[in-house]
Amino acid sequence: MANKPSIPSGTRDFGPEEVAKRQYIIDTIKRVYHLYGYQPLETPVMENLSTLLGKYGDEGDKLVYKILNSGDWTSKLKNEDKSAYSLNPFTDYKLITEKGLRYDLTVPFARYVVMHQHELNFPFRRYQIQPVWRADRPQKGRYREFFQCDADVIGSNSLLLDAELVLMIRDVFETLKMNVTVRLNNRKILDGLAHYAGCEDRFNQMVIILDKADKIGLDGVKKELSELGLSDEQTERITDYLDFKGDNSQKLEYLSAIMQNETGKKGLAELTELRDRIAEYYSKHVDVEFDLSLARGLSYYTGTIYEVVSRDVQMGSILGGGRYDDLTGIFGLPNMSGVGISFGLDRIYDVLNELSLYPADILRSSDVLFIPFDLTCEKAALHYADEFRHNGLRVEVYPDVDAKLGKKFKYADGKKIRYAILIGEDEFKGGFMTVKDLVSGEQRQMKQPEAIALIKA
Amino acid sequence: MANKPSIPSGTRDFGPEEVAKRQYIIDTIKRVYHLYGYQPLETPVMENLSTLLGKYGDEGDKLVYKILNSGDWTSKLKNEDKSAYSLNPFTDYKLITEKGLRYDLTVPFARYVVMHQHELNFPFRRYQIQPVWRADRPQKGRYREFFQCDADVIGSNSLLLDAELVLMIRDVFETLKMNVTVRLNNRKILDGLAHYAGCEDRFNQMVIILDKADKIGLDGVKKELSELGLSDEQTERITDYLDFKGDNSQKLEYLSAIMQNETGKKGLAELTELRDRIAEYYSKHVDVEFDLSLARGLSYYTGTIYEVVSRDVQMGSILGGGRYDDLTGIFGLPNMSGVGISFGLDRIYDVLNELSLYPADILRSSDVLFIPFDLTCEKAALHYADEFRHNGLRVEVYPDVDAKLGKKFKYADGKKIRYAILIGEDEFKGGFMTVKDLVSGEQRQMKQPEAIALIKA
């Protein structure tokens, strides 16, 4: 007896309706990417571990799925005379694995740029929509196999590009009719904050605390900062900063009062310049808000940082991104500035599902089901179907002539097919067809051209 | 110093042009699948090893990529007190891996059907276009990571469905303008042949020899059959069969003379019925040929078998498929008859490349490059670009105002952008733009609506 089959936890099957919905989101994002001159790149699912490891921190390295060497994977273990008890799970995998699954789309992009630097046209705008894998604990909105939809442009530090990414975000969510807030900040402003609070030596720890301000609240931030050894005055400067209320212009004014070091001032200038470029473009579904607490973790970002959240559904960020000064340095090509964003397909999908925001026509199944009454009629139906398909109609011929008519209508109903076309002996001999509208129940005899015109309309 | 990055052997990066070409093939196949009522399914890249193993033979099991368990993958080894020297590479991977990479799309499809049998509408038509992985030795036209484009319909044994698959194959290659031969056979006829040659007890070995008749020639077949212990007369019956020359009707006549057992006669009846349904549909680029030697290996096929080869480029089969009586039995759901085909995207891509059969417009890059002369003009260009994009045009704004003009034109050239639009002080003040056709060299001043109309045309 076969076991009941299943799929690994954190992974999903997508049936016809789910694929159609996801494809709608992907097509929307792709269309916008193309409108802004971004071109597609696809990289392999399997990358060398030498490419992947050391790029995502120690914690990330653990979450990279590793692929067992093919052939005799035991040989290196044997050469090193390893006993099971001496194996260290966090280092000795190197003896039996050399490849891993893609962990994000940014590192493969950097690798690609370095490998093809002499053929590429800079600034190089690329987009990439592919799945990635992380051996994380699955939970709501977090999967082990999930899609990222990245756009990056590399080879220019112009803020025009930072601004265009905001417009691209606007275009995507306007099309999807999703109410979102785009949160913007600049990494250099966090540097200015650390200077202002006199804790530049504890910059990373400060960023980590800022990053979770949403979750732990102002009191939590206070507590953690004082645990970090900051004085009350230092802590207050940071919490006042986090607590500042005002619109984007007021925030810029506030920042101009507290940014004192060169980096901080530069961050403020960049954010101001970005504001000037995008100020007039605000739109129906998309708000833009400067969020001074925004940090996006300990990433490689050095300038503008982006995050998008839904205004209607509680669900972590549905987009992240930022500017980086040195993405390809890890592969030996230094000083390439770039900026990029990544839409989280799976979370956007979950939000649109919750709000039922899909257009009806994307779930379109077949247009017509031919129901022939015997094998001769079936042959005729196949001919008709061919002509219908040449006219762009989606057509099925019900394959088992002997099955009960009720079963066939039930099949049409299950697939939400609107028209059934019956071909019996009368129809075959008379050269016409009986077209039944399964929604209205109306049924009429007609010739092929009329039927095609009716159904196309 | 960073090492020069690389990708695993047998895998590939696809840059913008390659993605566009591959997408053209995929879109063509998808469009045809939809016209015939097939609906999309996507399954995870990672499957449980219990799903994958035992389905592809011992050799196949070895070629499945296994994923190292995450967390402490050494614990089971330690529990079983395994020393490195006692490890068997072909069985003990089970102690450290539980998941593998998808090896084909058929087994995940069968798994999906069994898991969702109570929700599905039968006959269930699904298509699936996703990559698969095999730890094979890479060679020309064979990769470790490659795409399959499958369509299967399950839950009916009607030959109408077998016939429609031939029409789908025709529609795809007619659209691609690729000259191909569709080879058809029926697995039951091979059974009839074994009966005719009196070697039913050595059926599998006979099929293996038939399967390589293309490579080893008639003499090779003779030699291997006699090594198998067949008498000269038995061998002759098989080689006469393989050597039979004639058109499809003559082949059917020949078969009617030698098919003696019930299974063989049924196979002949099925092939004849299939011929009757598709005889009138032959087309410009697609020939249909009954190939009596066609076996498609030791697969699960039980009826019609399909193979497609290019008539212009030497390159193994670019499509395979067949009818099976019991695909889901391995997962506990017996007696589900189905039929399916699988387009080999990578080989079709290689053939189209060799013949340069891609339409020119699929390689379309951006339509316009705006070249602003200073930051004020850049802001104006961003506004114009927004309007152009709302009109569906693909637009880039060159981001670095200080870069040399020649560099900007070179960029447009590299990306094959036809129009450059210059925005300098005069243009900005006068509210017009200078549109330069980079193909003709012609250059004219105009207002925005005229420019949009010109470029859209």
Side-chain angles (χ1 to χ4, degrees):
Chain A
M1 181 60 203
N3 280 326
K4 228 178 160 174
S6 63
I7 53 175
S9 101
T11 71
R12 291 160 293 168
D13 284 322
F14 298 110
E17 185 177 325
E18 290 153 320
V19 174
K21 288 175 171 179
R22 292 167 65 86
Q23 199 60 50
Y24 162 69
I25 303 170
I26 289 174
D27 289 345
T28 300
I29 294 172
K30 260 167 102 163
R31 185 174 170 277
V32 170
Y33 284 168
H34 280 285
L35 286 178
Y36 286 78
Y38 285 73
Q39 294 190 299
L41 171 69
E42 292 180 7
T43 64
V45 164
M46 298 195 293
E47 290 274 358
N48 291 322
L49 284 182
S50 56
T51 299
L52 297 175
L53 299 181
K55 312 302 188 296
Y56 309 107
D58 289 347
E59 208 41 52
D61 281 358
K62 285 184 197 163
L63 301 184
V64 169
Y65 279 109
K66 286 119 191 149
I67 296 168
L68 193 65
N69 290 341
S70 44
D72 184 1
W73 54 273
T74 65
S75 59
K76 271 195 194 169
L77 282 177
K78 287 172 181 165
N79 282 345
E80 298 225 347
D81 195 17
K82 288 277 183 182
S83 85
Y85 278 97
S86 71
L87 286 174
N88 178 338
F90 302 118
T91 53
D92 284 331
Y93 62 80
K94 288 174 186 164
L95 295 171
I96 55 174
T97 66
E98 282 164 9
K99 291 189 282 283
L101 300 187
R102 193 168 52 212
Y103 183 86
D104 71 0
L105 303 178
T106 311
V107 165
F109 170 56
R111 173 192 57 65
Y112 178 84
V113 168
V114 172
M115 285 174 71
H116 297 267
Q117 52 186 288
H118 303 297
E119 311 143 34
L120 295 176
N121 247 315
F122 291 102
F124 177 56
R125 290 171 167 90
R126 88 85 175 78
Y127 76 83
Q128 192 169 353
I129 301 179
Q130 290 191 287
V132 301
W133 290 264
R134 295 184 187 176
D136 237 330
R137 207 146 42 93
Q139 59 185 59
K140 195 198 166 190
R142 191 201 280 165
Y143 305 97
R144 287 180 164 170
E145 176 171 323
F146 59 100
F147 267 73
Q148 292 187 332
C149 310
D150 285 23
D152 289 82
V153 48
I154 194 165
S156 162
N157 56 16
S158 164
L159 284 164
L160 169 79
L161 300 168
D162 304 51
E164 281 202 332
L165 289 175
V166 178
L167 299 182
M168 289 161 69
I169 294 169
R170 174 205 63 178
D171 287 353
V172 167
F173 290 109
E174 283 297 319
T175 309
L176 297 177
K177 299 186 173 49
M178 245 177 101
N179 296 316
V180 300
T181 298
V182 182
R183 295 178 179 159
L184 297 175
N185 197 7
N186 189 301
R187 194 68 188 224
K188 296 187 182 81
I189 288 171
L190 299 181
D191 188 278
L193 171 65
H195 178 86
Y196 171 62
C199 62
E200 287 151 298
D201 54 331
R202 276 155 290 181
F203 180 75
N204 281 352
Q205 295 97 311
M206 184 195 81
V207 166
I208 291 170
I209 296 170
L210 251 56
D211 213 30
K212 52 187 176 183
D214 259 7
K215 283 178 203 145
I216 61 176
L218 225 47
D219 286 341
V221 170
K222 251 181 220 164
K223 187 164 159 278
E224 296 212 9
L225 287 175
S226 83
E227 280 167 15
L228 196 62
L230 264 59
S231 71
D232 284 357
E233 201 205 322
Q234 287 178 304
T235 297
E236 209 177 291
R237 286 190 166 201
I238 294 176
T239 51
D240 279 358
Y241 169 95
L242 287 178
D243 203 30
F244 183 82
K245 304 270 189 295
D247 63 20
N248 291 342
S249 298
Q250 288 164 331
K251 281 177 184 164
L252 291 178
E253 264 172 56
Y254 167 71
L255 285 176
S256 69
I258 65 164
M259 289 291 111
Q260 293 158 347
N261 66 340
E262 204 182 319
T263 307
K265 283 179 181 166
K266 185 144 196 290
L268 172 59
E270 289 178 5
L271 199 57
T272 307
E273 203 184 316
L274 182 61
R275 195 269 316 260
D276 287 347
R277 285 165 197 264
I278 59 174
E280 299 164 43
Y281 294 95
Y282 295 175
S283 60
K284 190 172 165 202
H285 297 285
V286 182
D287 284 346
V288 176
E289 176 188 303
F290 292 163
D291 178 347
L292 304 184
S293 73
L294 188 64
R296 298 290 311 160
L298 286 176
S299 45
Y300 34 74
Y301 297 136
T302 50
T304 309
I305 37 187
Y306 305 81
E307 188 170 279
V308 174
V309 293
S310 161
R311 288 207 301 276
D312 299 320
V313 177
Q314 276 279 345
M315 163 96 60
S317 63
I318 54 181
L319 174 143
R323 178 170 280 282
Y324 36 81
D325 281 336
D326 187 21
L327 187 68
T328 54
I330 41 174
F331 295 119
L333 179 65
N335 303 324
M336 291 288 276
S337 185
V339 59
I341 51 174
S342 178
F343 289 86
L345 172 62
D346 299 275
R347 287 184 176 180
I348 294 173
Y349 171 79
D350 286 349
V351 171
L352 289 182
N353 265 341
E354 208 160 317
L355 301 173
S356 300
L357 283 179
Y358 295 100
D361 64 339
I362 63 159
L363 300 177
R364 177 185 170 211
S365 165
S366 298
D367 301 302
V368 181
L369 178 68
F370 273 95
I371 302 181
F373 284 27
D374 59 34
L375 285 178
T376 309
C377 298
E378 186 186 288
K379 225 177 143 186
L382 196 57
H383 267 269
Y384 285 136
D386 209 46
E387 197 58 34
F388 275 57
R389 288 173 186 136
H390 284 145
N391 279 277
L393 292 171
R394 301 178 177 198
V395 179
E396 298 182 38
V397 182
Y398 198 93
D400 299 299
V401 288
D402 296 332
K404 288 202 176 122
L405 195 57
K407 191 180 167 190
K408 295 173 187 176
F409 284 127
K410 209 178 142 196
Y411 173 84
D413 190 50
K415 275 189 96 172
K416 299 194 182 74
I417 300 175
R418 166 116 184 233
Y419 293 99
I421 298 187
L422 311 172
I423 312 284
E425 210 185 325
D426 289 352
E427 284 84 356
F428 179 71
K429 286 189 176 150
F432 62 87
M433 47 188 79
T434 299
V435 180
K436 188 180 167 99
D437 181 333
L438 298 174
V439 175
S440 69
E442 205 188 333
Q443 158 169 338
R444 223 151 45 81
Q445 297 177 341
M446 56 188 85
K447 297 269 184 185
Q448 173 171 287
E450 192 189 343
I452 290 177
L454 170 74
I455 295 164
K456 279 185 97 165
Chain B
M1 180 62 203
N3 280 326
K4 228 177 158 176
S6 64
I7 53 175
S9 100
T11 71
R12 291 159 294 166
D13 284 321
F14 298 110
E17 185 177 328
E18 292 154 318
V19 174
K21 288 174 169 179
R22 292 167 66 86
Q23 199 60 50
Y24 162 69
I25 303 170
I26 290 174
D27 288 346
T28 300
I29 295 172
K30 259 168 102 165
R31 185 174 171 276
V32 170
Y33 284 167
H34 280 285
L35 286 177
Y36 286 79
Y38 286 72
Q39 294 190 298
L41 171 69
E42 291 179 7
T43 64
V45 165
M46 298 195 293
E47 290 273 358
N48 292 322
L49 285 181
S50 57
T51 299
L52 297 174
L53 299 181
K55 314 300 188 298
Y56 308 108
D58 288 347
E59 209 41 53
D61 282 359
K62 284 183 197 164
L63 301 183
V64 169
Y65 279 109
K66 286 121 192 146
I67 296 168
L68 193 64
N69 290 340
S70 43
D72 184 1
W73 54 273
T74 64
S75 60
K76 271 195 194 169
L77 282 176
K78 288 173 181 167
N79 282 345
E80 297 224 347
D81 195 15
K82 287 276 184 184
S83 85
Y85 280 97
S86 70
L87 286 174
N88 178 336
F90 301 117
T91 53
D92 284 332
Y93 62 80
K94 287 173 187 164
L95 296 171
I96 55 173
T97 67
E98 282 164 10
K99 292 189 280 284
L101 299 187
R102 193 166 53 211
Y103 182 86
D104 71 0
L105 302 178
T106 311
V107 164
F109 170 56
R111 172 192 59 66
Y112 178 85
V113 169
V114 172
M115 285 174 70
H116 297 266
Q117 53 186 288
H118 302 298
E119 312 142 34
L120 296 176
N121 247 314
F122 291 101
F124 177 55
R125 291 171 168 92
R126 89 84 174 78
Y127 75 84
Q128 194 169 352
I129 300 179
Q130 291 190 285
V132 302
W133 290 264
R134 295 182 188 177
D136 237 329
R137 207 145 42 92
Q139 59 185 59
K140 194 198 165 190
R142 191 201 279 165
Y143 305 97
R144 288 179 162 171
E145 175 170 324
F146 59 100
F147 266 74
Q148 292 188 333
C149 310
D150 284 24
D152 288 84
V153 48
I154 195 164
S156 163
N157 56 17
S158 164
L159 284 163
L160 168 79
L161 299 168
D162 304 50
E164 281 201 332
L165 288 175
V166 179
L167 299 182
M168 288 160 69
I169 294 170
R170 174 205 63 177
D171 287 353
V172 166
F173 290 110
E174 284 296 319
T175 309
L176 297 178
K177 299 185 173 49
M178 244 177 100
N179 296 317
V180 300
T181 298
V182 182
R183 295 179 180 158
L184 297 176
N185 197 7
N186 190 300
R187 195 69 189 224
K188 297 187 181 81
I189 288 171
L190 299 181
D191 189 279
L193 171 65
H195 179 86
Y196 171 62
C199 62
E200 287 151 298
D201 53 333
R202 278 155 288 182
F203 180 74
N204 280 351
Q205 294 97 312
M206 184 194 81
V207 167
I208 290 170
I209 296 170
L210 251 57
D211 212 30
K212 51 186 177 184
D214 259 7
K215 282 177 205 147
I216 60 176
L218 225 47
D219 286 343
V221 170
K222 250 181 218 162
K223 186 163 159 278
E224 297 212 8
L225 287 174
S226 82
E227 281 167 15
L228 195 62
L230 264 59
S231 71
D232 285 356
E233 202 205 321
Q234 287 179 303
T235 297
E236 211 178 292
R237 286 192 165 200
I238 293 176
T239 52
D240 279 358
Y241 169 94
L242 286 179
D243 204 30
F244 183 81
K245 304 271 191 293
D247 63 20
N248 291 341
S249 299
Q250 288 164 331
K251 281 176 185 165
L252 292 178
E253 264 173 55
Y254 167 71
L255 286 176
S256 70
I258 64 165
M259 289 293 112
Q260 293 158 347
N261 65 341
E262 206 182 317
T263 306
K265 283 179 181 168
K266 185 142 196 288
L268 172 58
E270 289 178 5
L271 199 57
T272 308
E273 204 185 315
L274 182 61
R275 196 270 313 261
D276 289 347
R277 285 164 197 264
I278 59 174
E280 299 163 42
Y281 293 95
Y282 294 177
S283 60
K284 190 172 164 201
H285 297 285
V286 182
D287 285 346
V288 176
E289 175 188 303
F290 292 162
D291 178 347
L292 305 184
S293 72
L294 189 63
R296 299 288 312 159
L298 287 176
S299 45
Y300 35 74
Y301 297 136
T302 52
T304 309
I305 37 188
Y306 305 82
E307 189 170 277
V308 174
V309 292
S310 161
R311 290 207 301 276
D312 299 320
V313 176
Q314 277 280 345
M315 163 95 61
S317 62
I318 53 180
L319 174 143
R323 178 170 279 284
Y324 37 80
D325 281 337
D326 187 20
L327 187 68
T328 55
I330 40 174
F331 296 117
L333 179 67
N335 303 323
M336 289 290 276
S337 185
V339 59
I341 51 174
S342 178
F343 288 86
L345 172 64
D346 300 274
R347 287 185 177 179
I348 294 174
Y349 170 79
D350 287 348
V351 171
L352 290 183
N353 264 342
E354 207 160 319
L355 302 173
S356 299
L357 283 179
Y358 295 100
D361 64 339
I362 62 160
L363 300 178
R364 176 185 169 212
S365 166
S366 298
D367 300 302
V368 181
L369 177 67
F370 273 94
I371 302 181
F373 283 27
D374 59 33
L375 285 178
T376 308
C377 297
E378 187 187 285
K379 225 179 143 185
L382 196 57
H383 267 269
Y384 285 135
D386 209 46
E387 197 58 35
F388 275 58
R389 288 174 185 135
H390 284 145
N391 279 278
L393 292 171
R394 300 177 178 198
V395 178
E396 298 181 37
V397 181
Y398 198 92
D400 298 299
V401 287
D402 296 332
K404 288 201 177 124
L405 195 58
K407 191 180 167 190
K408 295 172 187 177
F409 283 126
K410 210 179 142 196
Y411 174 84
D413 191 51
K415 276 190 95 171
K416 299 194 182 74
I417 300 175
R418 168 118 183 231
Y419 293 99
I421 297 187
L422 311 172
I423 311 282
E425 208 185 328
D426 288 352
E427 283 84 355
F428 178 71
K429 285 188 176 152
F432 61 88
M433 46 189 78
T434 298
V435 179
K436 187 180 169 96
D437 181 332
L438 297 174
V439 175
S440 70
E442 204 188 333
Q443 161 168 335
R444 223 152 43 84
Q445 298 178 341
M446 57 187 84
K447 297 269 183 185
Q448 173 171 288
E450 192 189 344
I452 290 176
L454 170 75
I455 294 165
K456 280 185 99 164

